Amino acid sequence: MLKIILVPAALTLALATGCSFSVGDKTVDKSKVEQAISDKLGPQLGGAPKSVSCPGNLKGKAGTTMQCTMVTADGASRKVEVTVTSISGSTVNFGLKTV
C-alpha cells in the first residue's frame, strides 16, 4: 500500500525578502536587523515572532553574511541568513532568507 505524506509548504519553503537602512558608518545596528527580521519575516511565518536574536551588528560590506535566530509565533526556531547585497552611499541593502 502506498502512503503519501504531505508536509506543509511553510515548513519546507525558504522565505526571502530585502531591506535597507541608511547608516553613517556603514554598520547596521543589530537591533535594526532584528526588527527588520521581525517586520519582514514574522507575518510570513504566522505573526509577530516571540524573539529574534542576532550575534552582533551587520557590517556594511557587500557579501557579508550573518546568521540570526528567530522563534516564530508558534514557538518554532528558525535560522535567518542576513546578507549584505549592496551599498549605496550611506544605505546598506541586505536580504533576509530563512535557512
Side-chain angles (χ1 to χ4, degrees):
M1 175 175 193
L2 176 65
K3 291 186 179 181
I4 298 175
I5 299 173
L6 298 176
V7 178
L11 295 178
T12 60
L13 178 66
L15 301 174
T17 190
C19 300
S20 63
F21 282 95
S22 292
V23 293
D25 62 357
K26 293 196 172 85
T27 299
V28 182
D29 186 77
K30 79 178 228 162
S31 66
K32 290 184 179 185
V33 176
E34 291 166 347
Q35 189 63 51
I37 291 169
S38 179
D39 292 346
K40 299 290 184 174
L41 295 181
Q44 297 177 38
L45 294 170
K50 291 184 177 183
S51 66
V52 178
S53 176
C54 294
N57 296 336
L58 179 63
K59 300 207 183 310
K61 181 178 178 188
T64 298
T65 62
M66 172 171 71
Q67 195 168 85
C68 300
T69 302
M70 174 174 64
V71 177
T72 63
D74 66 359
S77 181
R78 300 287 298 255
K79 296 292 182 191
V80 178
E81 184 175 273
V82 181
T83 304
V84 176
T85 55
S86 65
I87 308 295
S88 179
S90 63
T91 301
V92 176
N93 301 300
F94 59 93
L96 306 172
K97 178 175 74 172
T98 58
V99 290

